[in-house]
Amino acid sequence: MEIGLDRLLAVSFPIKYRELQFQKAFYTSIHLIFPILYTASILYLGFIERTDEQVKCAIPTALAGVSFKVFTLSSHAIYVSILLAYLMTAILLKFHDTSSRFKAVFKSIGVTVGIVLFGWAITTVSNTFGYFVTDDPEIFNLIQMYSGITVNIAISSNLLIFYTINPEYQMTVKLLMDGSCGKLPTFSDSGSELQNLRKVTKSQES
């Protein structure tokens, strides 16, 4: 979601976005606020619901009861926000004069996020409807574990997707594979270009 919001900001307010690149700590901190608060809240709910019952060594069993329901239902809202962010970004890219490189980067990220989102959506839907399918905790735990396979497949496919779509990623991987990673080229989003854009922006404002 944060990557989608970052891309949306880059397309909607390109000059302001370039300015934020000089405030990396501040900009990164803003993006970390929601993930940290969300994760802390889920972990807190899971912590206060803990019992002395023994559980299997499986990730889904770390949350139970209200905490798991909150996590599952809130995931649906996050997925919708991700779709909206990328849809708005795609529309803006289509009707704005944007560099082909930026569009290629957005395409590779968009496809990757889409596949991962699809995997997570299947997992979340399975977990949500698992409550209606069975009352047996053993079967419900199995549903949780097996539905997570789609997420693992989606995440493991990132390398292939980026390599197939993004030419710069292809070049970087090839340079890393043949041991010449020290010869990585400098792309167009260099610091000097950002400095020049900043000067132009200031002159326009004055």
Side-chain angles (χ1 to χ4, degrees):
M1 185 183 72
E2 295 302 324
I3 296 176
L5 293 175
D6 174 77
R7 297 296 86 190
L8 180 59
L9 177 63
V11 177
S12 303
F13 307 99
I15 296 179
K16 182 62 178 178
Y17 181 79
R18 296 288 188 174
E19 290 289 326
L20 289 171
Q21 302 308 299
F22 296 96
Q23 306 176 43
K24 295 181 179 179
F26 172 73
Y27 184 62
T28 304
S29 299
I30 292 177
H31 277 291
L32 289 176
I33 291 176
F34 175 74
I36 291 176
L37 290 178
Y38 178 76
T39 305
S41 301
I42 297 297
L43 288 176
Y44 175 74
L45 287 174
F47 179 77
I48 62 177
E49 285 188 321
R50 74 192 189 283
T51 63
D52 294 330
E53 235 178 278
Q54 289 187 345
V55 296
K56 292 184 178 65
C57 185
I59 293 175
T61 59
L63 299 175
V66 176
S67 58
F68 186 77
K69 291 180 180 179
V70 170
F71 170 70
T72 301
L73 296 176
S74 61
S75 295
H76 291 292
I78 293 175
Y79 300 155
V80 172
S81 67
I82 294 173
L83 288 174
L84 291 175
Y86 275 87
L87 179 61
M88 293 173 63
T89 305
I91 293 174
L92 289 173
L93 281 174
K94 183 176 181 180
F95 294 102
H96 282 69
D97 184 18
T98 311
S99 66
S100 57
R101 177 179 177 271
F102 189 91
K103 289 182 178 179
V105 172
F106 174 78
K107 180 181 179 182
S108 59
I109 294 176
V111 172
T112 304
V113 171
I115 293 176
V116 175
L117 185 63
F118 179 74
W120 269 112
I122 292 177
T123 301
T124 305
V125 170
S126 301
N127 291 335
T128 301
F129 286 96
Y131 287 103
F132 305 100
V133 174
T134 179
D135 294 327
D136 188 340
E138 183 76 17
I139 296 178
F140 184 65
N141 287 337
L142 289 174
I143 292 174
Q144 289 178 294
M145 287 186 283
Y146 281 104
S147 64
I149 293 176
T150 55
V151 178
N152 295 326
I153 294 175
I155 293 175
S156 63
S157 66
N158 286 357
L159 174 63
L160 296 176
I161 297 169
F162 274 116
Y163 187 84
T164 303
I165 297 177
N166 195 325
E168 292 179 4
Y169 200 86
Q170 294 174 12
M171 181 164 48
T172 303
V173 171
K174 289 177 182 177
L175 289 173
L176 289 172
M177 293 297 289
D178 64 15
S180 57
C181 56
K183 302 176 182 178
L184 291 177
T186 301
F187 299 120
S188 57
D189 279 346
S190 61
S192 59
E193 183 182 357
L194 295 179
Q195 291 283 3
N196 293 334
L197 183 58
R198 191 177 188 183
K199 292 178 181 177
V200 172
T201 304
K202 288 184 178 179
S203 63
Q204 290 175 349
E205 291 175 350
S206 61

